[in-house]
Amino acid sequence: MRYVILAVFLAVLAGAGAAGHHVWTFLTVPPEDPGHEVVVVIEPGQRFADVAARLVERGVVTDAPLFTLYAKYTDLGGKVKAGEFALSTGLTPGKVLEVLTTSAGIQRKLSVPEGLTMRQTARIVEEAGFGTAESFVRAARDKALLEKYAVPADTAEGFLFPETYLFSRKPGNDAAYVVEAMLREFFRQAQNVWPVKPLEGKSLYEAVTLASIVEKETGVPEERARVAGVFLNRLAKNMLLQTDPTVIYGLGESFDGNLRRAHLDDPKNPYNTYQLPGLPPGPICSPGLGALLAVAAPEIHDYYYFVATGEGAHRFSKTLNDHINAVNRFQRKRTTSP
């Protein structure tokens, strides 16, 4: 159909002599041969005439009025998408329109590791050029957006799934589309974690909260289910969880990297699991799939304690005396090492 329209378009102008030759050249001969890549950003709601002028400025097409007329005859002018596009000065106008109306645009990578807070993720998003950190946090607190994805909380903390994403950068600085993609991915992954009976509401929130603690406590995949089992054992016995990462999260931006005894003794910190029983008020980071699976299928055992060995792993203990011995052994080893 496009070629029929092109033929009609050319026939209308063919009788114009030199003008007809100019039109034919414009439509069939690219600006350069070979061409070079040009990145063009099209803003939402931008007039097609302005798009055409921008393409001429970047050397992608040679005649803005003719390109606008051609887009009108092919009925493609209104189908041009907003976004960031990789074009070439070696394309004909028809190919340029094809890219602008059918392509998803340039796909850029955003890598979000496990264990980041909402604000840390927001900073990564901003640094990668996908929108401001402020707009990301605003979207992660947007009540309507949270209700849309059935997030059982006032913020998306814990539900921003850590993954490597491919995005077409949206014009402007609003990162809401990144938040939406991360929430969609969380609930897609949640179907794999709880395939038989998906969790929702309070049960889901508590599971994500525990998974976020597991995520922060160990980076060893083989330990995650065991760590989850330790915390579940302690909860079952009404024991304090006594986990440093929750205290650190509660300190927020005031934490200077040095966790002090005064921090552990402070009952005013709602995330202080050394002073307050049960789970903290909510997730302390975004857990990855491994931590979620560990909470869904924890290891069944009699461990109630664990301490870092200083080599990335942990020593698990069943009794307080064994734990104290392990702490003395590994903490002394760590402090006396050169």
Side-chain angles (χ1 to χ4, degrees):
M1 181 64 181
R2 180 183 302 171
Y3 296 106
V4 173
I5 294 174
L6 176 58
V8 173
F9 181 66
L10 290 173
V12 170
L13 296 169
H21 177 72
H22 172 66
V23 171
W24 174 260
T25 301
F26 168 75
L27 291 172
T28 60
V29 180
E32 295 181 350
D33 186 20
H36 65 275
E37 185 176 293
V38 175
V39 175
V40 176
V41 176
I42 297 177
E43 302 290 341
Q46 190 172 18
R47 294 188 316 136
F48 188 86
D50 294 331
V51 172
R54 179 62 172 162
L55 293 174
V56 169
E57 180 184 323
R58 300 306 306 276
V60 178
V61 297
T62 57
D63 190 314
L66 272 181
F67 188 66
T68 302
L69 187 59
Y70 176 61
K72 179 179 180 181
Y73 268 87
T74 56
D75 199 30
L76 293 176
K79 298 177 182 178
V80 171
K81 301 178 180 180
E84 185 181 29
F85 297 90
L87 298 169
S88 171
T89 58
L91 297 178
T92 62
K95 285 293 185 181
V96 171
L97 270 178
E98 183 178 331
V99 172
L100 295 180
T101 56
T102 64
S103 168
I106 297 174
Q107 298 286 294
R108 298 187 182 274
K109 186 163 66 174
L110 173 67
S111 294
V112 181
E114 295 87 350
L116 298 187
T117 65
M118 179 175 70
R119 289 189 176 277
Q120 290 171 330
T121 303
R123 286 194 285 270
I124 286 180
V125 169
E126 180 172 278
E127 289 167 2
F130 292 104
T132 65
E134 180 184 1
S135 69
F136 184 93
V137 172
R138 184 170 59 248
R141 290 176 171 169
D142 184 79
K143 184 177 180 180
L145 186 59
L146 296 172
E147 288 179 352
K148 177 180 177 180
Y149 290 97
V151 176
D154 295 330
T155 77
E157 187 76 274
F159 295 85
L160 300 166
F161 195 79
E163 183 59 276
T164 295
Y165 296 88
L166 289 176
F167 290 115
S168 295
R169 281 181 182 158
K170 305 288 186 182
N173 292 312
D174 192 347
Y177 69 100
V178 180
V179 174
E180 285 213 53
M182 298 183 81
L183 292 177
R184 283 196 301 270
E185 184 63 17
F186 174 88
F187 286 100
R188 190 182 75 81
Q189 295 288 348
Q191 293 176 353
N192 298 323
V193 178
W194 298 284
V196 177
K197 186 179 180 182
L199 297 185
E200 57 185 18
K202 182 180 179 181
S203 297
L204 176 62
Y205 196 56
E206 290 179 345
V208 173
T209 298
L210 181 54
S212 72
I213 299 174
V214 172
E215 186 66 66
K216 297 297 286 186
E217 282 287 8
T218 181
V220 180
E222 296 78 12
E223 286 189 347
R224 290 185 182 125
R226 181 166 293 188
V227 169
V230 168
F231 288 127
L232 288 170
N233 285 346
R234 294 179 73 89
L235 289 170
K237 292 283 188 179
N238 294 317
M239 297 171 65
L240 295 171
L241 293 185
Q242 295 183 318
T243 170
D244 292 356
T246 62
V247 181
I248 293 170
Y249 180 85
L251 293 172
E253 299 295 327
S254 68
F255 181 61
D256 62 4
N258 185 16
L259 190 63
R260 302 175 176 84
R261 170 53 60 181
H263 295 145
L264 303 182
D265 292 340
D266 181 13
K268 295 180 181 179
N269 180 346
Y271 287 83
N272 188 351
T273 52
Y274 283 86
Q275 298 295 321
L276 303 173
L279 290 168
I284 61 173
C285 72
S286 289
L289 181 60
L292 292 168
L293 288 170
V295 170
E299 185 177 306
I300 306 301
H301 53 58
D302 296 325
Y303 295 120
Y304 288 85
Y305 309 90
F306 60 89
V307 63
T309 64
E311 298 175 353
H314 294 82
R315 174 61 60 88
F316 294 82
S317 301
K318 296 180 180 180
T319 68
L320 181 58
N321 283 339
D322 288 345
H323 176 61
I324 291 173
N325 290 334
V327 169
N328 288 335
R329 173 186 175 187
F330 293 109
Q331 293 295 333
R332 183 166 60 251
K333 175 182 177 183
R334 194 181 308 175
T335 56
T336 58
S337 296

